[in-house]
Amino acid sequence: MAITFQRNGRSVSSRKFFDGLKDDVIEMAIAAVAEDMHGKAAAIVDPETGKHAAVMVRRIGNNRLSIHADGSPAFARMLEDRLKLEDGEMRGIREPAAGTRLVYLAHATDDKAIAKPIAEGLRARGIEVWFDDWEIGIGDSLRQRMEQGLGDCTNFLVLLTPRSITRPWVAEEIDAGLMRAVEGSARFLGVRHELELNALSPFMRTRKTPSLGEGRPGSTNWPTTS
């Protein structure tokens, strides 16, 4: 008798089914680690602000975690000691990336279905990605989370489409990404999808903006973030 596999109400191959189970287990483990850290962090007051700070646990690639304290570097060091982590394993939100590549992915909400595979493709290759669906939770300040991601990124990537180039919010992100590039603290890259180069502003045409049709994550001609 043939065995059929379903995930989220859809028929999938056995490989996708078991890959999905593996991802579920990893995400559950991350959630458990985050819950434990949140509990221990709640007992510590940030010496610079006098307030309690949150802890963020992000998945990088298939089996690595990135741990950030949403507070000062001093708070991060205190929490490292409480959690018995190695020096530097936990990073304060205002600490430099210390060699870690962090791609900030800017996009219009209408382009979510295009942006998410890009984010997943980069993350699967061990590149840390700031993607709003993963970083902004219920009750979070949208602007604060975005400012944190922009301030920490080493690479700014914007998905340029007929929709995104008309969105004021994306324009603000582009301005911030360009400022980081001018300061020399991040690289700027635009990826066009269903958008001709002449549709961009004269200034944006001077930037590196390959077409998404020219390459995909994992292909030899996909834009590099190194």
Side-chain angles (χ1 to χ4, degrees):
M1 183 176 66
I3 299 176
T4 59
F5 296 89
Q6 288 197 343
R7 184 169 175 80
N8 298 325
R10 298 175 58 185
S11 295
V12 296
S13 67
S14 59
R15 179 178 178 178
K16 287 187 176 180
F17 178 81
F18 288 109
D19 282 348
L21 287 182
K22 179 182 176 182
D23 285 341
D24 289 345
V25 171
I26 292 174
E27 293 299 336
M28 289 173 63
I30 291 174
V33 170
E35 184 177 0
D36 179 59
M37 289 186 173
H38 292 160
K40 292 176 178 176
I44 303 175
V45 174
D46 191 323
E48 291 190 14
T49 66
K51 299 178 181 179
H52 295 286
V55 173
M56 293 168 285
V57 181
R58 292 197 288 242
R59 179 180 172 186
I60 307 176
N62 293 325
N63 54 13
R64 292 191 297 137
L65 297 179
S66 172
I67 307 171
H68 298 254
D70 188 11
S72 69
F75 174 81
R77 301 291 82 77
M78 293 173 66
L79 193 54
E80 270 180 349
D81 183 64
R82 180 174 289 267
L83 297 173
K84 302 189 185 308
L85 300 174
E86 296 292 330
D87 184 38
E89 277 193 79
M90 175 162 291
R91 187 155 51 87
I93 201 67
R94 297 195 300 274
E95 289 185 88
T100 299
R101 288 182 296 173
L102 173 60
V103 176
Y104 182 101
L105 178 53
H107 64 284
T109 301
D110 294 341
D111 295 325
K112 189 79 66 181
I114 306 167
K116 189 170 183 179
I118 295 174
E120 291 172 339
L122 291 169
R123 189 173 71 171
R125 286 157 182 81
I127 299 173
E128 192 172 353
V129 182
W130 193 100
F131 181 59
D132 56 1
D133 277 9
W134 303 337
E135 304 296 337
I136 301 173
I138 298 174
D140 286 345
S141 165
L142 176 62
R143 180 171 290 278
Q144 182 181 45
R145 287 300 189 209
M146 291 175 68
E147 288 177 345
Q148 289 170 351
L150 286 164
D152 211 25
C153 74
T154 57
N155 295 266
F156 178 89
L157 175 63
V158 57
L159 178 60
L160 300 167
T161 71
R163 295 162 294 279
S164 69
I165 62 172
T166 66
R167 300 295 190 268
W169 195 266
V170 176
E172 289 190 29
E173 291 178 287
I174 290 174
D175 287 345
L178 287 170
M179 182 61 68
R180 296 274 295 167
V182 169
E183 294 171 345
S185 52
R187 296 181 63 203
F188 183 98
L189 175 66
V191 177
R192 290 178 290 112
H193 178 68
E194 298 179 343
L195 188 70
E196 296 298 326
L197 184 62
N198 59 15
L200 299 177
S201 68
F203 179 76
M204 282 296 292
R205 291 177 210 165
T206 67
R207 313 301 301 186
K208 187 176 181 181
T209 56
S211 170
L212 188 59
E214 295 171 8
R216 303 283 180 177
S219 69
T220 56
N221 54 350
W222 176 252
T224 178
T225 61
S226 60

